[in-house]
Amino acid sequence: MSTGEDTREVAFPHFEYIGGELTCDGVSLRQVAAEFGTPCYVYSKNSLIEKYHEFDAVFSHFPHLPHLVCYSVKANSNRSVISTFVRAGSGLDVNSGGELYRALLAGGDAARIIFTGVGKTAEEIAYALEQRALFLKVESFEELDVIDAVARRMGVRAPVALRVNPDVDALTHPYISTGLAENKFGIPWDQALPAYEHAASLPNLEIVGVDMHIGSQITTVEPFVEAASRLAGLFEILTQKGIPISHIDLGGGLGISYDGSPSATASELAEALRPVIESLKATIVLEPGRYLTGNAGVLLTTVQYRKNTGAKQFLIVDAAMNDFLRPALYAAYHRIQPVMLGDHRGEEVVDVVGPVCESSDFIAKGRTLPRVERGEVLAVMSAGAYGFVMSSNYNSRPRAAEVLIEDGRAVCIRYRETYEDLVRREPT
Ligand code: LLP
């Protein structure tokens, strides 16, 4: 991830210039901005569906290996987005009681919902059991005991998969790397067997799986292959020990290209995993998030001011770090394109910044862009994953609207917040 120069070509098949105007599946983004205002997230429903089918199809090529794709809701948890995946056939991976609530409201079938989380509360565990989620992933010895106790109280057996930490370097940004021994996630590799033995001794648990998730925005297949091989080894040992495992969950994490540099595809991932998983007798579970939604969305923002400080040319836009945190948090690179190509007067190097009172409030630094004027709309590309979901009300800024493009129409799927929304939960 870098703020870098905007030199590489990136293909966004669902976002094309038609007659000099950037469109999403044929719908003018200038018109979307005019109708719904900015900042505003826009998602292509066609792209979401295509990406799901692409991902699902490549794992259908293993004749004797059932699989279940569970869209990782945290990447984009708008109900319309979740229900798009549910209708396309996806299961769901949720990371909190709130995500489970959304998933169910969006039509998700609990029998295809898996519940993750390094710090589940007893209430969240009870909620997942009550709804009969497919399984809960367990991240510590102590959590095994808590789930067993909650299940006993409820008079049920809790289906669990132990998330093990395979201690593999995912070669990604340290903030989104999760499979190294130093990370808080999963049960340490050398404690995996004792954890399974402990789980097997608890009467209210039903062991159904092994699970891993090594990180996010992983652009090569090797870390997945290495980690999956370790998991496959564990699977064999558990089987020999008479602990039957019906699900092997390889997590999410497959990256996308933000800047045109190569990034492994789902098909490449499946092929690379083939020798490791082909002969396993279990259902393979996958939890893609970003791969399905990242390049399906953009953030529209309007230039408020041009400001030249002598040291720098700034474009001050109406989207800020509260709307879109990735650049501030990870120095993430997102391509920026003007919505109207127009008669731009050459190019310039700019910092694209927001109105929040922090110097880390930027969308791009030192970026070469066509010259744009006050009032023009820009599209921040690849904003469909970890965009709106990470937004906040910092600086008491109402959160942005979200719009879905479907069947050639722009449909508001989340209204822009109002000032009243900001204070709604505060007693007067
Ligand atoms: N499964 C588990 C257990 C996860 O923790 C995650 C993401 C996923 C699946 C989905 O990963 P994906 O396929 O989207 O990489 N906010 C960061 C990303 C954090 C990812 C957290 N876990 C970002 O903006 O890059």
Side-chain angles (χ1 to χ4, degrees):
M1 294 184 192
S2 76
T3 44
E5 288 265 321
D6 221 350
T7 48
R8 291 207 179 98
E9 277 307 307
V10 197
F12 299 107
H14 293 269
F15 296 90
E16 284 177 339
Y17 285 102
I18 301 179
E21 268 189 59
L22 191 59
T23 61
C24 175
D25 294 332
V27 173
S28 153
L29 292 179
R30 177 185 52 80
Q31 278 173 19
V32 171
E35 185 176 349
F36 300 97
T38 59
C40 167
Y41 282 90
V42 185
Y43 313 122
S44 154
K45 186 171 182 176
N46 289 346
S47 174
L48 298 173
I49 295 171
E50 258 174 49
K51 278 296 188 188
Y52 171 76
H53 287 308
E54 175 201 324
F55 200 98
D56 187 53
V58 297
F59 284 93
S60 307
H61 292 154
F62 301 89
H64 307 297
L65 190 65
H67 76 282
L68 175 63
V69 176
C70 290
Y71 165 60
S72 190
V73 164
K74 65 174 74 70
N76 186 326
S77 54
N78 186 291
R79 274 199 277 166
S80 300
V81 172
I82 301 175
S83 69
T84 299
F85 287 123
V86 168
R87 287 200 200 104
S90 187
L92 302 169
D93 164 51
V94 300
N95 198 65
S96 67
E99 284 191 354
L100 178 56
Y101 179 74
R102 280 181 176 276
L104 294 168
L105 277 187
D109 172 7
R112 292 155 69 81
I113 295 179
I114 55 179
F115 198 106
T116 317
V118 71
K120 295 178 213 73
T121 63
E123 289 73 27
E124 287 178 312
I125 292 165
Y127 183 28
L129 292 180
E130 186 184 284
Q131 296 298 325
R132 298 181 173 277
L134 175 58
F135 57 78
L136 286 78
K137 298 181 231 168
V138 189
E139 305 223 11
S140 65
F141 279 75
E142 208 162 32
E143 192 189 349
L144 282 171
D145 294 332
V146 173
I147 297 180
D148 182 64
V150 174
R152 187 182 58 234
R153 212 175 56 222
M154 295 173 67
V156 297
R157 282 190 89 200
V160 294
L162 274 58
R163 175 170 175 180
V164 293
N165 183 334
D167 194 15
V168 163
D169 191 348
L171 304 172
T172 185
H173 191 283
Y175 287 11
I176 52 175
S177 178
T178 52
L180 279 171
E182 68 195 48
N183 297 130
K184 70 177 172 183
F185 298 98
I187 293 170
W189 186 250
D190 57 359
Q191 296 174 22
L193 270 184
Y196 271 98
E197 278 158 5
H198 182 53
S201 75
L202 295 172
N204 305 290
L205 300 186
E206 184 198 351
I207 299 172
V208 298
V210 284
D211 168 64
M212 70 176 203
H213 171 76
I214 56 172
S216 194
Q217 185 50 17
I218 304 168
T219 53
T220 55
V221 296
E222 288 76 16
F224 289 107
V225 174
E226 199 184 329
S229 309
R230 301 199 84 178
L231 227 62
L234 179 62
F235 172 82
E236 299 301 345
I237 295 171
L238 292 170
T239 310
Q240 280 160 22
K241 282 190 171 292
I243 301 179
I245 300 289
S246 55
H247 291 74
I248 299 188
D249 184 342
L250 301 180
L254 186 60
I256 59 171
S257 183
Y258 284 96
D259 65 357
S261 49
S263 191
T265 61
S267 159
E268 286 162 353
L269 176 62
E271 273 316 304
L273 286 172
R274 179 184 287 278
V276 182
I277 61 176
E278 204 164 34
S279 58
L280 295 175
K281 300 213 165 19
T283 299
I284 298 291
V285 180
L286 302 136
E287 308 168 3
R290 186 189 321 259
Y291 195 82
L292 304 189
T293 62
N295 279 330
V298 299
L299 169 63
L300 299 181
T301 183
T302 304
V303 178
Q304 297 300 304
Y305 298 103
R306 296 177 53 84
K307 173 167 169 174
N308 195 315
T309 59
K312 272 188 174 171
Q313 176 66 56
F314 288 99
L315 295 181
I316 302 169
V317 298
D318 64 0
M321 65 191 289
N322 76 293
D323 302 299
F324 190 55
L325 188 59
R326 301 197 74 255
L329 194 55
Y330 317 112
Y333 174 96
H334 284 259
R335 219 181 137 79
I336 297 177
Q337 297 184 186
V339 158
M340 300 296 293
L341 278 182
D343 294 325
H344 293 291
R345 287 142 284 169
E347 294 189 325
E348 58 183 357
V349 177
V350 293
D351 278 16
V352 181
V353 300
V356 156
C357 56
E358 303 256 0
S359 291
S360 59
D361 180 23
F362 66 90
I363 296 178
K365 280 186 173 175
R367 192 69 66 81
T368 305
L369 289 183
R371 184 186 161 109
V372 287
E373 306 297 334
R374 169 173 159 76
E376 284 194 58
V377 179
L378 300 174
V380 181
M381 309 305 287
S382 314
Y386 307 108
F388 182 87
V389 286
M390 286 168 66
S391 64
S392 76
N393 290 123
Y394 186 38
N395 276 208
S396 282
R397 288 171 50 83
R399 272 178 291 186
E402 291 178 285
V403 169
L404 188 67
I405 305 298
E406 54 176 331
D407 304 325
R409 288 178 310 127
V411 181
C412 186
I413 55 170
R414 182 177 168 114
Y415 299 114
R416 180 178 308 288
E417 287 179 350
T418 63
Y419 290 158
E420 294 75 47
D421 290 330
L422 293 177
V423 294
R424 202 173 292 287
R425 308 290 297 173
E426 295 170 23
T428 43

